[in-house]
Amino acid sequence: MSGQGIGGRGPQRGDAARPSPAGASLAGVILAAGGSTRMGRSKALLPYPGPLDRDAARAAPPKPTFLAACAYKLAAVCAGIFAVIPAGAGGGAIRAASAELPGRISWIENPEPERGQFHSLQLAAAALLAEERFGGAVICPVDRPMFAAATLAALAHAFDAPEGAGRPVAAAEIVKPSHAGRHGHPVLYSRGFLAAVVNAPTDGNARDLGRAWAARTVTINVADPGVLVNVDTPEDYRRLTTPGTT
């Protein structure tokens, strides 16, 4: 993949509102191709701690994995779900453990997960841009599954809201949740921003690329501490699963 660099063209003053197909809906993207080296086992297959939100729990299995929990939450607001997984045995194990999700997830294999999460995002962006029905996507790293379904609804509302309805820009291209003054996940990207992701150098990252789109970025405050939870190590997971630990 090649094209404009990190410091390349973002939305310019006078640009039209973000281009989206008529009646466009949102996709959900789960980034799950990482090697989980610090965790020591696949984070996608970790048992999700605690109950799911009520609406997600109606469809989910009794003990969902991290990946399944993300999928069922995303399904509340997304018309299609993509999951980027490693090629080979690691990805095969994730698929096998997700047999309860037939037809719900479009699997994307990343043959080079060592290139980093941004490469996985580029693969997912290219796949969903091939489908005109999607006007944007909610991006969910699999090691950040603790967000509330209500946060997804808030992101979607801010993305669709007209200027002046609690939003300072005419057409949001990026919508981020914030809790206690800190940005969290998942993040919603427009179709236009995802096109920029596809065209960016593969050694880039979404944070740097997003700086060129700052004028069309919206941050919403949410009463959801789960947007800040990053489960990267066994100690992180222990804090989630053991009552009273901090």
Side-chain angles (χ1 to χ4, degrees):
M1 297 177 184
S2 61
Q4 70 183 55
I6 295 295
R9 183 187 185 278
Q12 302 297 302
R13 186 181 300 276
D15 278 356
R18 62 170 185 263
S20 296
S25 53
L26 293 175
V29 173
I30 305 170
L31 302 177
S36 301
T37 53
R38 295 183 67 192
M39 179 63 67
R41 53 177 168 153
S42 173
K43 288 184 278 189
L45 299 182
L46 289 173
Y48 182 81
L52 287 172
D53 297 283
R54 182 184 61 186
D55 291 341
R58 289 190 183 124
K63 296 181 179 180
T65 62
F66 271 25
L67 187 142
C70 291
Y72 283 111
K73 291 181 185 184
L74 288 168
V77 299
C78 297
I81 299 173
F82 298 78
V84 186
I85 58 176
I94 292 172
R95 286 199 192 202
S98 304
E100 76 277 4
L101 304 172
R104 189 176 290 270
I105 292 182
S106 297
W107 301 102
I108 301 170
E109 291 191 349
N110 183 348
E112 301 176 286
E114 67 278 3
R115 292 173 63 179
Q117 191 176 84
F118 189 68
H119 180 55
S120 289
L121 179 58
Q122 288 183 308
L123 294 175
L128 71 89
L129 287 173
E131 300 192 31
E132 293 187 358
R133 62 185 175 130
F134 296 123
V138 181
I139 310 299
C140 175
V142 78
D143 55 5
R144 293 176 174 266
M146 302 307 296
F147 60 90
T151 293
L152 298 178
L155 293 173
H157 176 76
F159 185 65
D160 291 331
E163 184 178 10
R167 191 172 75 183
V169 299
E173 303 282 355
I174 301 172
V175 185
K176 300 178 178 180
S178 176
H179 180 77
R182 297 167 55 198
H183 287 145
H185 290 269
V187 176
L188 198 161
Y189 293 146
S190 73
R191 190 176 182 90
F193 182 77
L194 290 168
V197 167
V198 170
N199 290 322
T202 55
D203 60 353
N205 63 76
R207 178 178 297 177
D208 288 344
L209 182 61
R211 292 193 180 108
W213 299 67
R216 289 190 177 173
T217 297
V218 171
T219 298
I220 60 170
N221 294 315
V222 295
D224 178 10
V227 302
L228 304 180
V229 176
N230 182 11
V231 187
D232 197 38
T233 67
E235 180 62 20
D236 294 334
Y237 188 59
R238 185 182 69 83
R239 282 194 292 267
L240 280 181
T241 58
T242 305
T245 60
T246 57

